[in-house]
Amino acid sequence: MAGRSEIVVRFAGEGGQGVVTAAEMLARAATGVGYHALTFATFPSQILGGPTWTQARVSRVPISSPGDSVDILVAFNDYAYQEHRSDVRDGGVILLDPSATPDPADTAHRCITVPFDALAKETGEARAANMVVMGGLSKLINMPLQFFKDFVSIRFAARESVVTANHKALDLGLNHLAAEESVSDLGSPIKPDYPQSFIKGNEAVSLGAMHAGIESYIGYPISPATPILVYMEKNLTGEGKVAVQASSEIESITAIIGAGFAGKKTMTATSGPGFTLMQEGIGLAWMAEIPIVVVDVQRGGPATGLPTKTEQSDLLTAIYPAHGDSRMPVIAPGTVEECFYGSVMAFNWAERYQGPVMLLSEHSLAERAQNIRKPDLANVPVEERVRYTGNNDYLRYESHELSPFSSPGGPGAYIANGSEHDVYGDTTHLGKYHIHMTERRFSKLKLLEDGDYEAENSNAKIAVMPWGGSKGSVREALDLLLAAGLDLGWYYTMFVSPLPAKMLAELQSKDLVIVPELNFQGQMALNLRSLGVKAEAITQYTGLPFGPGDLAGRIKQLLSGIGQSTGAVKA
Amino acid sequence: MSEKNPEYDFLWCPGCGDFGVRRAMEFAMEELNIKTERPMTSNVVVAGIGCSGNTVHLLEGEQPYGFHGIHGRSLPVAMGIKMSNPELNVVTVAGDGDFLSIGMEHIAPQAARNLNICAVIMDNGVYGLTKGQASPTTTHDTVTSSTPFGKIENPVNPLELYLTLGVTYIASGYSSKPKDLANLILRGMEHPGFSIVHVASPCTTYNDTYTQLKGSAKLNIAPTAWTIPANHDASDRKAARAIIEEGGVPVGVVYEDNSRPSFDAQFETIRANNKQKSNDAQLAVFDL
Ligand SMILES: Cc1ncc(C[n+]2csc(CCOP(=O)(O)OP(=O)(O)O)c2C)c(N)n1
Ligand code: SF4
Ligand SMILES: [Mg+2]
């Protein structure tokens, strides 16, 4: 795919070499003039230095995944060259730091040594090495240098000497590669005719929470969720607002339950290990019927796991974090844009059914910077819990379904109770109340079954249904298969539990629902099978997202393996 | 059984110290309501799990809001409530196991914050609700169901711990004197910062310490409970340490530091000086 109207550039080197910012800079500059772009980032495993890489995919048309093979690799050291060269497509270009030695046997790639640092020093601004790279890239991807220059002028507006040096670096980079042939011609950009934002998943989650009216945030630092804490500490302030760093995830979860009980819209964000520590608390919120939002930005593996990689392996624990009979509402955004809307909806759900809602993000989305349609805030509905307005002597748990919410300071005192309780909220051991309250709690989930979903080609007997951050890669894989003539349906929703009732009914009528997902066990497929859907997973657990081309091949393979290849091919 | 709810079937054992603490809590909240002219519904009682936590269900008369959560987490729940609404009077009730064992990790951060909440701890030196296992305050060598050959660990000294952690109001009380205890709790509630009222509240079933607390001339046992002299300067850290080192169960205010600003007060200033940007303005930061 890579070639004509799009380009994938990977930057590999050591933390601190500007690798991390390079992809974002390219994406920001490109989207600024009307291209579409998204980045993929892995973190270095150490604070300073350590091998790391980032990638930007730039395209003339909208894109939704980090892409397949790499067109251009920028290797800042020999290790990076050795590690990543096999991911570069045949005919691709590798820009090498002089410290790296190109392999003479590597005839598949054009290897060009560029003295990034030496050229940067010539500008008088040693940190301009990144701009030398951008200058070179402008030649290789045929993107006018002026685009980058404008970007620099805006970015460093107040500091003229920095602008001058960076402009010079761009020129030097371009000159160095002046004689080289371009790898691709992106063509002139088609600037979208709607307002856009350039934003990362974690930022979109934070802004969604703000729009939903968050009043209280209490959290504990953990990768890759920390940026949400940092955003809240800085921005959730002013009268009546609380943003506080807790001493642990146990403190975070129980404190936000206190906030929710006190009548506030409240949230915490964490990742796997922290999420596990919150589980007893989440059960408490379910039991006492307290609206809260818990964000789990998934990373890989159990225990400390793979903190800097992406995985979708917390689905089952997000739906069933707590012991005892309970099932949590879970929203899993599939794009950066959905991180915003999913966050708003997580609050809306929490308010609507008065209980805990899990927002299941993932590393690749959290760190993905992308151009999205700017949310039109005036048209994104925000819901509020039904409030109690009566007198005292309120029996909050009397009804068999949702009841108005009273909060301290106002009338309607009751005891919010994590032990099984009677209509007063007093602890009970009586079977009749356990039946009453269990049914009451589950009845409220019905209020959440009307979520939006995508359905295409719904007559097909076999459908593909991704969830979460794999949405983009799976969509691109499906498009390849559809173009090849296969007859496959498409289903997608970010409302993964409870699933939209209508969508579930459609899935139940399929011969097969294929679920590509980034975990070993096929957690969504497992979940779907428990709901009466004939689901089969295609799994990957490399710590990296699916590549669309590779995935298309695996879907085909699965279909032929079960003798469905003819059935799925249009006659 | 409680007056309001005849179906509520938890009962403290006859003579349980928690009866006295409940009475003291009722006195203290009623008194505070009169002083602040606020309704009972501006009080929140956050309970730990244990016989002690059941206080929240057994309060008689006009009902405050209650929160009965999970074992060991009364402080963070209280923190979330108080930070949300500083106008509320937020009090926690918990046992020695709840507060000093599983919930120990929450004391230091609250002491560091000096948030204006009041913790009432009912120390019976045992896990009552789970039927008599050793707790952090169970004395060395004691035989319990979980220490059949005697407890090997040393007991924690709660008052010394609180002082070391920087709790700004530390009172020590005794459940058999509910009126005095009510005053200690009331003063704790009014203290502008984190306050702990640590109460000797005997468990008649698993660790009956009444004789030791009161003493017995007949058995030649000196009382462990003693009244802190009126001339004790509670603002003097050294004097407070001396009281604690005296041993036994001192009754009165051990320490009170009113010089340290509360979390609430500092937070108020920060919030007043840092207004929130509109959502439109926040979103505009990301404009392309
Ligand atoms: C997470 C968790 N672990 C253990 C328990 C069981 N449990 C209930 S109360 C309790 C100890 C109670 O002792 P204490 O806090 O001293 O209260 P008391 O009953 O003596 O008043 C324990 C261990 C629990 N409810 N939750
Ligand atoms: S077991 Fe002990 S603490 Fe519990 S109610 Fe009985 S006397 Fe009180
Ligand atoms: Mg106890």
Side-chain angles (χ1 to χ4, degrees), chain B residues 230-253:
Chain B
N231 65 358
H232 166 58
D233 178 3
S235 68
D236 180 345
R237 226 183 142 78
K238 274 200 183 133
R241 196 165 288 282
I243 296 274
I244 295 167
E245 276 167 11
E246 214 38 48
V249 176
V251 177
V253 177

Side-chain angles (χ1 to χ4, degrees), chain A residues 5-6 25-38 57-63 143-144 146-148 150-151 154 186-198 370-373, chain B residues 287-288:
Chain A
S5 65
E6 67 152 60
M25 200 175 278
L26 173 59
R28 184 68 179 74
T31 52
V33 293
Y35 292 108
H36 299 269
L38 62 76
R57 183 178 176 203
V58 179
S59 165
R60 239 181 134 221
V61 295
I63 41 172
M143 201 165 128
Q146 196 54 43
F147 290 174
F148 289 101
D150 292 347
F151 169 72
I154 294 166
L186 281 174
S188 27
I190 318 162
K191 202 168 177 136
D193 58 0
Y194 47 81
Q196 296 189 93
S197 311
F198 184 78
Q370 188 174 6
N371 60 312
I372 64 167
R373 183 187 284 267
Chain B
D287 279 354
L288 249 188

